[in-house]
Amino acid sequence: MSIAQNPLSVEVTLPREDVALISVEGYLDVDTATEFQHHLANQLHHGRRHFLLDLSSVPFMDSSGMNIILRVYQEARDIPGSVHIISPTPAVRRILDLTGVSITVPVSESLDEALARVDAPETGQVEQVAQDGRQT
């Protein structure tokens, strides 16, 4: 398969100066991972510290996509910053859960939830935000 058969669409918006919302559409695999990586690297270069990855339109992701997510997660942590996955499709969520990536990289159901996680400086507050105000 070539990139032409499985095009990847990546749209970057800035909810805030230091936050990049990266909306991905299409297969995130060995054929498209390099393009995805270029978009993330560009945002790092421009000083973004927090990366919100909207995967709601990604029907399939292989290890190439996961590796790039984990790589940007490590780079963002060193800044310090963060990476959050938003609304992965069921197939992608299953892969994230089976591989343990969802334990390392927070998964949110909405942009608002992900932004609240960015703003929550402590893990306890993140858990509280994720549960809509219920204390854990």
Side-chain angles (χ1 to χ4, degrees):
M1 266 185 235
S2 69
I3 292 176
Q5 292 174 333
N6 283 325
L8 186 71
S9 171
V10 179
E11 180 181 329
V12 179
T13 56
L14 304 176
R16 297 194 312 233
E17 183 61 30
D18 64 341
V19 177
L21 170 61
I22 299 155
S23 301
V24 185
E25 183 177 343
Y27 285 56
L28 190 48
D29 59 18
V30 68
D31 291 328
T32 60
T34 302
E35 179 182 351
F36 181 53
Q37 182 176 3
H38 287 306
H39 284 281
L40 293 169
N42 185 42
Q43 293 307 308
L44 275 167
H45 175 74
H46 284 92
R48 311 296 177 241
R49 295 178 41 230
H50 304 284
F51 299 86
L52 311 181
L53 309 177
D54 182 347
L55 302 183
S56 62
S57 296
V58 175
F60 174 80
M61 179 173 67
D62 69 7
S63 60
S64 301
M66 284 187 300
N67 285 335
I68 289 171
I69 290 171
L70 290 172
R71 192 174 309 140
V72 76
Y73 172 82
Q74 186 62 49
E75 290 178 28
R77 276 189 48 191
D78 292 344
I79 294 174
S82 62
V83 174
H84 304 270
I85 296 171
I86 301 172
S87 301
T89 58
V92 171
R93 178 63 192 242
R94 181 168 163 73
I95 291 168
L96 295 170
D97 290 345
L98 287 172
T99 58
V101 172
S102 61
I103 294 170
T104 304
V105 181
V107 178
S108 300
E109 293 305 315
S110 69
L111 173 59
D112 289 338
E113 182 183 333
L115 284 170
R117 286 174 179 254
V118 167
D119 293 335
E122 298 174 10
T123 304
Q125 289 178 330
V126 169
E127 290 171 3
Q128 191 170 352
V129 165
Q131 295 186 9
D132 296 322
R134 293 178 293 172
Q135 286 194 333
T136 56

